[in-house]
């Protein structure tokens, strides 16, 4: 799916080029489609005004409702792990700003993205539509239950930290599908990859990361 070709200041385009070269390629992300998507999506449109000047910095940034937009490298790394070729139906848990979903829209056939906070879901939907993307649906709900009505998914990506792998997400993976999810404590997780091959579930651990908590029936309990 292509994005609306908007005129934007060269400055942002240059900053994205530098972000991809210095933060993403330099750390070993190689998939040319992922690199191109990271060069294409205007990350600054997903960042609140107060932090916009830092949109292309090598860091996560605060968004509304005490949540975050993930570090660009982590977005690219997790996306590469999904090994998307272009024809997949993908589920994202944790729409947040919608940035990760925009990247996925450029790389897969259709993207379902779930967000538990209604106001975030609504602004993510508006941003994605504003870019001319149409191969997505933003759903409000508890993503630890997955989205069974549209399963199976060739790829599932969870962008919040889980105490354990939610079993319904594994259930909703297609044969040959991949789930990428941060699993661990509330303060430090391991990026975990689960491959479903027939009856076999193969789990591997790829490295450390820090995400806001995945809150829900098969995640952390809500403190509010
Ligand atoms: N992918 C997002 C982006 O590109 O901006 C960043 C996601 S942010 C790190 C984590 C998001 O997960 C938050 O917006 C949070 O509200 C959401 N979240 C936490 N638990 C959830 C759940 N059970 N279902 C859906 N969304 C959840």
């Amino acid at each position: 799916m292509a994005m609306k070709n908007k005129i934007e200041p060269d400055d942002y385009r240059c900053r994205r080029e530098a972000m991809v070269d210095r933060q993403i390629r330099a750390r070993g992300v190689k998939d040319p489609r992922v690199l191109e998507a990271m060069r294409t999506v205007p990350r600054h449109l997903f960042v609140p005004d107060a932090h916009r000047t830092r949109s292309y910095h090598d860091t996560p940034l605060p968004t509304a409702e005490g949540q975050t937009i993930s570090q660009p490298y982590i977005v690219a790394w997790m996306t590469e792990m999904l090994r998307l070729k272009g024809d997949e139906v993908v589920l994202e848990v944790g729409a947040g700003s919608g940035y990760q979903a925009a990247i996925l829209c450029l790389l897969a056939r259709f993207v379902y993205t779930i967000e538990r906070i209604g106001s975030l879901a609504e602004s993510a939907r508006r941003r994605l539509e504003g870019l001319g993307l149409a191969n997505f649906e933003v759903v409000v709900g508890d993503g630890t239950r997955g989205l069974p009505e549209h399963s199976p998914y060739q790829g599932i990506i969870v962008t919040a930290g889980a105490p354990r792998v939610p079993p319904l997400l594994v259930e909703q993976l297609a044969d040959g599908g991949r789930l990428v999810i941060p699993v661990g404590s509330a303060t430090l997780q391991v990026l975990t990859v689960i491959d479903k091959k027939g009856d076999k579930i193969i789990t591997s651990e790829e490295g450390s990361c820090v995400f806001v908590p995945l809150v829900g029936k098969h995640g952390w309990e809500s403190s509010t």
Side-chain angles (χ1 to χ4, degrees):
M1 168 94 205
M3 252 175 33
K4 223 189 262 174
N5 208 355
K6 287 202 173 169
I7 309 262
E8 64 167 347
D10 279 347
D11 185 34
Y12 282 129
R13 227 167 300 140
C14 292
R15 288 197 222 176
R16 275 204 299 284
E17 286 285 343
M19 171 188 87
V20 169
D21 281 349
R22 294 179 201 152
Q23 301 170 29
I24 298 174
R25 255 173 11 111
R27 286 192 179 109
V29 174
K30 291 191 184 71
D31 184 331
R33 296 179 71 243
V34 173
L35 297 174
E36 190 51 31
M38 297 295 297
R39 276 190 206 103
T40 304
V41 175
R43 181 173 163 90
H44 58 280
L45 299 182
F46 294 83
V47 170
D49 288 351
H51 301 287
R52 187 144 297 159
T53 55
R54 299 168 67 211
S55 299
Y56 296 100
H57 289 195
D58 190 14
T59 181
L61 290 168
T63 56
E65 308 282 354
Q67 302 302 319
T68 54
I69 174 171
S70 307
Q71 180 190 14
Y73 165 62
I74 293 284
V75 173
W77 186 32
M78 290 176 79
T79 306
E80 182 174 62
M81 283 182 204
L82 287 176
R83 297 180 179 162
L84 300 173
K85 300 285 179 245
D87 198 35
E88 299 83 357
V89 177
V90 173
L91 174 67
E92 179 194 18
V93 176
S97 69
Y99 177 68
Q100 171 77 71
I103 299 285
L104 294 171
C105 282
L106 299 187
L107 299 172
R109 179 155 56 84
F110 200 90
V111 177
Y112 292 96
T113 182
I114 315 185
E115 173 54 56
R116 65 183 280 270
I117 302 175
S119 60
L120 294 184
E122 178 52 24
S123 41
R125 187 185 58 72
R126 268 192 272 112
R127 288 191 190 102
L128 294 167
E129 281 177 0
L131 290 174
L133 295 167
N135 57 333
F136 73 90
E137 187 177 328
V138 182
V139 177
V140 179
D142 175 6
T144 69
R145 299 166 189 262
L147 196 60
E149 55 271 42
H150 300 294
S151 67
Y153 304 98
Q154 283 81 38
I156 301 181
I157 179 168
V158 180
T159 61
R164 65 196 79 81
V165 178
L168 293 174
L169 295 184
V170 180
E171 225 169 78
Q172 291 169 33
L173 260 188
D175 189 9
R178 264 201 151 187
L179 163 63
V180 178
I181 178 170
V183 181
S185 74
T187 50
L188 183 68
Q189 302 94 37
V190 173
L191 216 40
T192 305
V193 175
I194 292 174
D195 285 295
K196 192 185 233 183
K197 292 199 172 131
D199 292 342
K200 284 204 189 121
I201 301 293
I202 302 147
T203 303
S204 56
E205 295 184 343
E206 299 296 334
S208 307
C209 54
V210 178
F211 277 85
V212 295
L214 180 74
V215 176
K217 181 162 194 298
H218 301 284
W220 297 98
E221 268 181 35
S222 169
S223 56
T224 53

